Amino acid sequence: RVGYDYPVFIHTTLNALNFQQVEEILSFWRSNGLGVRGVMFSTWTPIANAGDERFRLTDAQLEEIAQTLGQAKAEYGDFVVNSTWMIEQLEPAKMRRQMPDNCSMSKLVASYRADGTRKPMCIFGDQADCSGCGCASKHMVDGQRARNPGTQRSAALLADAA
Protein backbone atom coordinates (compact mmCIF):
# COMPACT_ATOMS: atom_id res chain seq x y z
CA ARG A 1 0.00 0.00 0.00
CA VAL A 2 1.08 3.55 -0.65
CA GLY A 3 2.31 5.20 2.52
CA TYR A 4 3.01 1.94 4.31
CA ASP A 5 6.58 1.84 5.62
CA TYR A 6 8.07 -1.57 4.93
CA PRO A 7 11.69 -2.41 4.18
CA VAL A 8 11.45 -3.54 0.58
CA PHE A 9 14.44 -3.75 -1.71
CA ILE A 10 14.30 -5.07 -5.25
CA HIS A 11 16.89 -7.41 -6.72
CA THR A 12 17.14 -7.88 -10.46
CA THR A 13 19.47 -9.86 -12.66
CA LEU A 14 20.69 -8.17 -15.81
CA ASN A 15 21.20 -10.44 -18.80
CA ALA A 16 21.65 -10.11 -22.57
CA LEU A 17 17.93 -9.46 -23.00
CA ASN A 18 17.41 -6.72 -20.40
CA PHE A 19 20.81 -5.16 -19.68
CA GLN A 20 19.86 -1.89 -21.39
CA GLN A 21 16.85 -1.38 -19.10
CA VAL A 22 18.68 -0.14 -15.98
CA GLU A 23 17.18 3.36 -16.17
CA GLU A 24 13.66 2.00 -16.74
CA ILE A 25 14.00 -0.41 -13.82
CA LEU A 26 15.21 2.32 -11.47
CA SER A 27 12.64 4.86 -12.64
CA PHE A 28 9.77 2.40 -12.26
CA TRP A 29 10.65 1.30 -8.73
CA ARG A 30 11.48 4.80 -7.54
CA SER A 31 8.30 6.42 -8.82
CA ASN A 32 5.57 3.80 -8.36
CA GLY A 33 4.61 4.87 -4.84
CA LEU A 34 5.21 1.47 -3.24
CA GLY A 35 7.96 2.75 -0.98
CA VAL A 36 10.76 0.62 -2.42
CA ARG A 37 14.00 1.66 -0.71
CA GLY A 38 16.44 0.55 -3.38
CA VAL A 39 17.39 -1.79 -6.20
CA MET A 40 20.32 -4.19 -6.23
CA PHE A 41 21.65 -5.54 -9.50
CA SER A 42 23.35 -8.81 -10.33
CA THR A 43 24.41 -9.99 -13.76
CA TRP A 44 23.66 -13.34 -15.34
CA THR A 45 25.90 -16.19 -14.22
CA PRO A 46 26.44 -18.72 -17.03
CA ILE A 47 25.81 -22.35 -16.13
CA ALA A 48 27.10 -25.23 -18.24
CA ASN A 49 24.46 -27.27 -20.07
CA ALA A 50 21.66 -25.01 -18.82
CA GLY A 51 20.52 -23.84 -22.26
CA ASP A 52 21.01 -20.25 -21.13
CA GLU A 53 23.01 -19.00 -24.11
CA ARG A 54 20.50 -16.27 -25.01
CA PHE A 55 20.93 -14.71 -21.55
CA ARG A 56 24.74 -14.76 -21.46
CA LEU A 57 26.50 -11.41 -21.50
CA THR A 58 29.42 -10.48 -23.73
CA ASP A 59 32.39 -8.53 -22.42
CA ALA A 60 31.11 -5.44 -24.23
CA GLN A 61 27.71 -5.81 -22.55
CA LEU A 62 29.34 -6.25 -19.13
CA GLU A 63 31.42 -3.13 -19.71
CA GLU A 64 28.27 -1.24 -20.67
CA ILE A 65 26.52 -2.50 -17.54
CA ALA A 66 29.39 -1.38 -15.29
CA GLN A 67 29.39 2.06 -16.93
CA THR A 68 25.59 2.39 -16.79
CA LEU A 69 25.39 1.29 -13.16
CA GLY A 70 28.21 3.67 -12.26
CA GLN A 71 26.27 6.55 -13.82
CA ALA A 72 23.06 5.40 -12.15
CA LYS A 73 24.82 5.26 -8.77
CA ALA A 74 25.93 8.87 -9.26
CA GLU A 75 22.37 9.91 -10.16
CA TYR A 76 20.31 7.74 -7.81
CA GLY A 77 22.72 7.46 -4.87
CA ASP A 78 21.83 4.77 -2.35
CA PHE A 79 18.68 3.83 -4.30
CA VAL A 80 21.19 1.82 -6.34
CA VAL A 81 22.13 -0.53 -3.51
CA ASN A 82 25.31 -1.78 -5.21
CA SER A 83 28.30 0.20 -4.05
CA THR A 84 30.70 1.71 -6.56
CA TRP A 85 33.19 -1.02 -5.57
CA MET A 86 30.60 -3.73 -6.26
CA ILE A 87 29.85 -2.20 -9.66
CA GLU A 88 33.55 -2.16 -10.53
CA GLN A 89 33.69 -5.92 -9.87
CA LEU A 90 31.44 -6.42 -12.92
CA GLU A 91 34.24 -5.38 -15.26
CA PRO A 92 35.14 -8.42 -17.41
CA ALA A 93 38.84 -8.49 -16.46
CA LYS A 94 37.92 -8.64 -12.75
CA MET A 95 35.22 -11.23 -13.30
CA ARG A 96 37.61 -13.55 -15.14
CA ARG A 97 39.72 -13.84 -11.95
CA GLN A 98 36.81 -15.36 -10.03
CA MET A 99 36.95 -19.07 -9.20
CA PRO A 100 35.66 -21.33 -6.42
CA ASP A 101 38.95 -21.02 -4.53
CA ASN A 102 38.52 -17.26 -4.11
CA CYS A 103 34.72 -17.08 -3.93
CA SER A 104 33.36 -15.93 -0.60
CA MET A 105 29.96 -17.48 -1.28
CA SER A 106 31.37 -20.94 -1.99
CA LYS A 107 33.44 -20.74 1.21
CA LEU A 108 31.04 -19.00 3.60
CA VAL A 109 27.50 -19.89 2.54
CA ALA A 110 25.96 -23.35 2.38
CA SER A 111 23.41 -23.76 -0.42
CA TYR A 112 20.80 -26.50 -0.64
CA ARG A 113 18.53 -28.04 -3.25
CA ALA A 114 14.78 -28.25 -2.74
CA ASP A 115 15.16 -31.84 -1.53
CA GLY A 116 17.51 -30.73 1.26
CA THR A 117 20.75 -32.01 -0.24
CA ARG A 118 23.66 -29.62 -0.23
CA LYS A 119 24.80 -28.05 -3.47
CA PRO A 120 28.50 -27.97 -4.21
CA MET A 121 30.13 -24.54 -4.41
CA CYS A 122 27.25 -22.05 -4.22
CA ILE A 123 23.60 -21.49 -5.05
CA PHE A 124 24.44 -21.88 -8.75
CA GLY A 125 26.00 -25.32 -8.23
CA ASP A 126 29.15 -26.86 -9.61
CA GLN A 127 28.25 -26.19 -13.24
CA ALA A 128 28.42 -22.40 -12.80
CA ASP A 129 31.04 -20.49 -14.74
CA CYS A 130 32.61 -18.55 -11.90
CA SER A 131 34.57 -16.37 -14.32
CA GLY A 132 31.23 -14.90 -15.41
CA CYS A 133 29.55 -14.74 -12.00
CA GLY A 134 27.77 -11.48 -11.38
CA CYS A 135 26.18 -12.37 -8.04
CA ALA A 136 25.58 -9.19 -6.04
CA SER A 137 25.68 -11.14 -2.77
CA LYS A 138 29.19 -12.37 -3.58
CA HIS A 139 30.34 -8.84 -4.40
CA MET A 140 28.76 -7.47 -1.23
CA VAL A 141 30.47 -10.06 0.96
CA ASP A 142 33.79 -9.49 -0.83
CA GLY A 143 33.47 -5.73 -0.40
CA GLN A 144 32.78 -6.10 3.31
CA ARG A 145 35.73 -8.44 3.71
CA ALA A 146 37.89 -5.86 1.90
CA ARG A 147 36.52 -3.26 4.31
CA ASN A 148 35.28 -1.12 1.44
CA PRO A 149 33.33 1.78 3.03
CA GLY A 150 30.78 2.05 0.22
CA THR A 151 29.99 -1.65 0.36
CA GLN A 152 29.76 -1.55 4.14
CA ARG A 153 27.26 1.31 3.74
CA SER A 154 25.22 -0.75 1.25
CA ALA A 155 25.17 -3.73 3.61
CA ALA A 156 24.12 -1.47 6.48
CA LEU A 157 21.18 -0.14 4.45
CA LEU A 158 19.91 -3.68 4.00
CA ALA A 159 20.62 -4.70 7.60
CA ASP A 160 18.92 -1.62 9.03
CA ALA A 161 15.79 -2.48 7.06
CA ALA A 162 15.61 -6.00 8.46
Side-chain angles (χ1 to χ4, degrees):
R1 292 184 318 202
V2 175
Y4 183 75
D5 187 30
Y6 52 93
V8 172
F9 290 87
I10 302 301
H11 174 264
T12 191
T13 300
L14 299 173
N15 60 61
L17 303 179
N18 71 356
F19 77 97
Q20 294 180 316
Q21 298 175 345
V22 170
E23 177 60 36
E24 290 88 346
I25 292 166
L26 291 168
S27 177
F28 175 81
W29 288 112
R30 185 182 226 182
S31 66
N32 67 12
L34 294 176
V36 170
R37 295 185 184 179
V39 179
M40 180 179 281
F41 293 90
S42 290
T43 59
W44 189 263
T45 298
I47 300 175
N49 304 312
D52 64 347
E53 289 76 13
R54 72 182 188 276
F55 299 112
R56 293 183 182 200
L57 294 156
T58 65
D59 283 359
Q61 291 169 331
L62 286 167
E63 289 168 2
E64 184 175 335
I65 289 169
Q67 180 180 13
T68 300
L69 288 178
Q71 292 167 345
K73 183 69 174 177
E75 179 180 343
Y76 285 86
D78 286 340
F79 193 73
V80 174
V81 178
N82 304 65
S83 69
T84 301
W85 188 91
M86 291 169 64
I87 293 166
E88 291 168 355
Q89 304 317 299
L90 297 174
E91 295 169 2
K94 291 183 180 178
M95 290 180 78
R96 277 194 284 279
R97 290 183 277 201
Q98 299 176 153
M99 60 186 80
D101 290 344
N102 65 16
C103 177
S104 54
M105 298 309 282
S106 71
K107 292 178 180 256
L108 302 173
V109 178
S111 298
Y112 294 88
R113 293 182 180 86
D115 67 4
T117 59
R118 185 158 181 194
K119 286 185 172 186
M121 289 188 357
C122 70
I123 191 70
F124 298 117
D126 60 356
Q127 295 298 305
D129 177 359
C130 297
S131 69
C133 180
C135 176
S137 297
K138 178 228 182 297
H139 295 144
M140 183 167 279
V141 170
D142 289 348
Q144 290 179 67
R145 294 180 82 196
R147 301 195 187 286
N148 174 264
T151 306
Q152 290 174 331
R153 178 177 170 78
S154 293
L157 290 171
L158 296 173
D160 288 346

